[in-house]
């Protein structure tokens, strides 16, 4: 279940109701996939073969297709990051810059955790969405944001694309953002 921290006030939203209504107000899609569908041998496994990634896509085929049909995604894949990932430090440094895309950025967390830091609507400032297994989020097109790992530095996520070229990160210089 996702939790939210609003950076300006430090306020945390922790109940499902609060999280859902806040994200809805912000125009951020949020839903939940059933984690119990994942076979136990694939749970909390952060180094995955191509076959295992394919298996994860098959496990969640119904959820992926439902989301794809609603929002126009045509391609999907699985990404796994952990201390075992070569150059993890450099990757995270690259990730942690505010940017925008010309399409939504969709992530469904399969194992581990991740944080999306997103610029809210007028007056909200930036907020962090802390995600855990089963959480699915879509950052709307042209919304300043970045993604990073949490302290455990482990995540497996499904990514969905309308057009992979739309996922190019365009840096967004924002005097309002204080890391
Ligand atoms: Fe992004």
């Amino acid at each position: 279940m996702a939790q939210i921290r609003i950076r300006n006030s430090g306020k945390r939203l922790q109940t499902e109701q609060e999280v859902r209504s806040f994200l809805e107000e912000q125009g951020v899609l949020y839903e939940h996939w059933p984690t119990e569908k994942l076979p136990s041998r694939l749970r909390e496994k952060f180094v995955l073969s191509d076959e295992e990634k394919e298996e994860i896509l098959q496990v969640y085929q119904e959820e992926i297709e439902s989301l794809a049909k609603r929002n126009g995604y045509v391609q999907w894949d699985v990404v796994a990051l952990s201390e075992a990932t070569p150059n993890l430090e450099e990757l995270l440094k690259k990730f942690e810059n505010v940017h925008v895309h010309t399409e939504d950025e969709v992530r469904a967390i399969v194992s581990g955790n991740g944080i999306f830091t997103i610029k809210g609507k007028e007056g909200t400032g930036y907020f962090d969405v802390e995600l855990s297994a089963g959480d699915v989020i879509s950052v709307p097109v042209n919304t300043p944001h970045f993604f990073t790992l949490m302290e455990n530095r482990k995540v497996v996520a499904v990514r969905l694309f309308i057009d992979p070229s739309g996922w190019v990160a365009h840096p967004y210089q924002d005097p309002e953002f204080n890391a």
Side-chain angles (χ1 to χ4, degrees), residues 46-63:
F46 298 93
V47 178
L48 298 165
S49 65
D50 287 348
E51 291 73 22
E52 287 169 326
K53 288 181 178 177
E54 193 50 45
E55 195 180 340
I56 290 171
L57 294 178
Q58 277 165 20
V59 165
Y60 286 116
Q61 191 175 4
E62 202 184 312
E63 287 77 12

Side-chain angles (χ1 to χ4, degrees), residues 33 45-46 48 53 56-57 60 76-81 106-114 116 131 135 147 149 154-160:
W33 287 359
K45 188 171 194 298
F46 298 93
L48 298 165
K53 288 181 178 177
I56 290 171
L57 294 178
Y60 286 116
W76 35 88
D77 67 8
V78 171
V79 63
L81 294 170
V106 194
R107 296 289 179 275
I109 309 295
V110 174
S111 295
N113 301 87
F116 266 107
L131 302 161
D135 288 327
F147 176 82
L149 298 183
K154 286 175 183 175
V155 77
V156 175
V158 176
R159 311 188 290 185
L160 295 96

Side-chain angles (χ1 to χ4, degrees), residues 99-101 105 107 116 145-147 167 169:
H99 62 269
V100 294
H101 302 285
E105 179 163 339
R107 296 289 179 275
F116 266 107
H145 70 278
F146 65 84
F147 176 82
W167 194 59

